[in-house]
Amino acid sequence: MRRAFLSAITAVALTASLLTLSTPASAATNGFRGVNWADQRDNYVDGWVIPSGLTAADSYATVRAKADGVITGFQQQVGANTVRLPINPQSVNSDWWARYKGAVDSALGHGMKVILSYWEANKDGYVDDPAAWNTMWDRVTGDYGGNGNVYFEPMNEPFGYSLSAWVSLCSTWLSRHATIPRGRVVISGTGYNDNVTGVGAASALNGTLLSLHFYGFWASDTTRAAWTSNLSNRLGSYSSRTIIDEAGSPMTTGLNYSAGHQDGNNFTAYLAATTDLARARQMGIVYWPGLRTGDTYSLTRQSGSGLAVNNASGLAQIRWGWGL
């Protein structure tokens, strides 16, 4: 009887051990140390998305050469290993895609991760044209689905959808592109990507990464403690799956983000809290924007064929959040 009991206990222990081994642990996302490369007009355009520094007349070779300078700047001046790029059907379902791919290929050639994210044109929080959207994603995943460094974000800021409608749309996307590993799909939080607790709890989206956006103009708090609470509530228990793939603060107005200058100002307190929490929870940050001409939040500006940093203390705080 005792032997049977011990055998049963051993079997249970072995089963538990095997389950532990076969169930992947929640992975941190701090491998994403990134920046957004954005269109000067913003990425909500009814036409081709053209990141700053590129032009509609550029050939593939010209896009690739220009991107080489920008990507090298992101790596050497900033320390980034990820770039988030906008796409839309107008860009992909046209001859611009064959040329725009030079930016993607440059980043991949430099060993960077690339997040490709869909921006709508109507600014209503919905996919503009589902058929064109599907055609776009079919082409994009066909071109880059086999590259493990490319990640796919079905939609940026889906604020038009309820949680259930958004989960349904994403589930349909996952079914249509079932050959893409879920660990390379980045599902936006609800609203303006401002909360991941709903999508995180949706079993239909298990295995995917999540994306959160978080900005200092969303509140007027001037303490790190208040901003930390604000951000924590938006994350819930899903930090290990979440990339903050937009977070930004003024970089051309002379703010000092260094320690000792953080509490007391809305934006310095916000950025300190965001980077502190990201570092503590091993979360990735993709700064908005790494480069966008005319944007006071832009971390860098073009300088010759490369980049120059706009705010050294701001960059140092972002690098802190990246764990560097």
Side-chain angles (χ1 to χ4, degrees):
M1 191 73 175
R2 176 178 173 81
R3 179 177 296 177
F5 175 77
L6 289 174
S7 297
I9 292 294
T10 301
V12 169
L14 180 59
T15 300
S17 175
L18 289 173
L19 286 172
T20 300
L21 290 172
S22 62
T23 304
S26 295
T29 62
N30 59 348
F32 293 87
R33 304 189 303 272
V35 290
N36 282 269
W37 184 9
D39 192 308
Q40 181 175 354
R41 303 163 295 175
D42 203 0
N43 295 335
Y44 289 102
V45 293
D46 188 6
W48 298 351
V49 282
I50 305 172
S52 293
L54 306 180
T55 73
D58 289 342
S59 65
Y60 174 89
T62 301
V63 170
R64 180 79 184 251
K66 288 180 175 180
D68 284 343
V70 172
I71 295 298
T72 298
F74 287 154
Q75 289 183 311
Q76 296 182 355
Q77 300 297 318
V78 176
N81 69 359
T82 303
V83 62
R84 183 171 178 250
L85 289 166
I87 58 172
N88 62 17
Q90 297 93 319
S91 300
V92 175
N93 304 338
S94 69
D95 66 351
W96 174 234
W97 179 238
R99 293 177 281 141
Y100 184 29
K101 284 168 62 177
V104 181
D105 296 343
S106 172
L108 295 173
H110 283 79
M112 298 273 276
K113 298 182 183 71
V114 177
I115 300 172
L116 296 174
S117 181
Y118 161 67
W119 260 261
E120 39 130 353
N122 292 337
K123 299 184 180 180
D124 60 2
Y126 292 99
V127 170
D128 294 329
D129 180 338
W133 181 72
N134 280 328
T135 299
M136 174 195 73
W137 278 120
D138 288 348
R139 188 170 188 182
V140 170
T141 56
D143 287 345
Y144 292 108
N147 192 309
N149 279 335
V150 180
Y151 296 77
F152 307 98
E153 190 172 36
M155 184 179 183
N156 171 77
E157 298 186 350
F159 58 90
Y161 295 97
S162 66
L163 171 61
S164 60
W166 176 232
V167 170
S168 177
L169 185 68
C170 292
S171 298
T172 300
W173 192 100
L174 290 167
S175 296
R176 186 181 183 97
H177 305 287
T179 60
I180 304 296
R182 287 192 171 211
R184 287 172 50 208
V185 181
V186 184
I187 300 296
S188 297
T190 47
Y192 289 88
N193 276 57
D194 56 48
N195 192 302
V196 298
T197 58
V199 290
S203 59
L205 306 179
N206 284 351
T208 64
L209 295 169
L210 309 175
S211 73
L212 182 80
H213 293 180
F214 190 57
Y215 282 106
F217 60 83
W218 288 354
S220 57
D221 298 305
T222 59
T223 66
R224 287 167 290 173
W227 280 110
T228 299
S229 176
N230 188 326
L231 178 54
S232 295
N233 290 336
R234 299 171 186 273
L235 290 165
S237 59
Y238 303 102
S239 297
S240 65
R241 291 172 60 190
T242 302
I243 305 165
I244 303 174
D245 73 5
E246 282 190 27
S249 200
M251 291 293 163
T252 61
T253 60
L255 284 175
N256 186 345
Y257 292 93
S258 302
H261 299 271
Q262 294 170 344
D263 283 347
N265 176 276
N266 175 221
F267 289 110
T268 57
Y270 146 82
L271 191 63
T274 303
T275 51
D276 284 352
L277 191 65
R279 183 185 178 99
R281 297 192 185 184
Q282 297 183 293
M283 297 170 60
I285 301 174
V286 182
Y287 181 85
W288 176 276
L291 177 64
R292 182 183 172 218
T293 303
D295 191 332
T296 59
Y297 282 34
S298 190
L299 188 58
T300 69
R301 63 187 182 278
Q302 290 186 276
S303 178
S305 62
L307 302 176
V309 173
N310 284 327
N311 187 313
S313 66
L315 173 59
Q317 193 62 38
I318 294 159
R319 287 172 59 86
W320 165 261
W322 286 341
L324 299 180

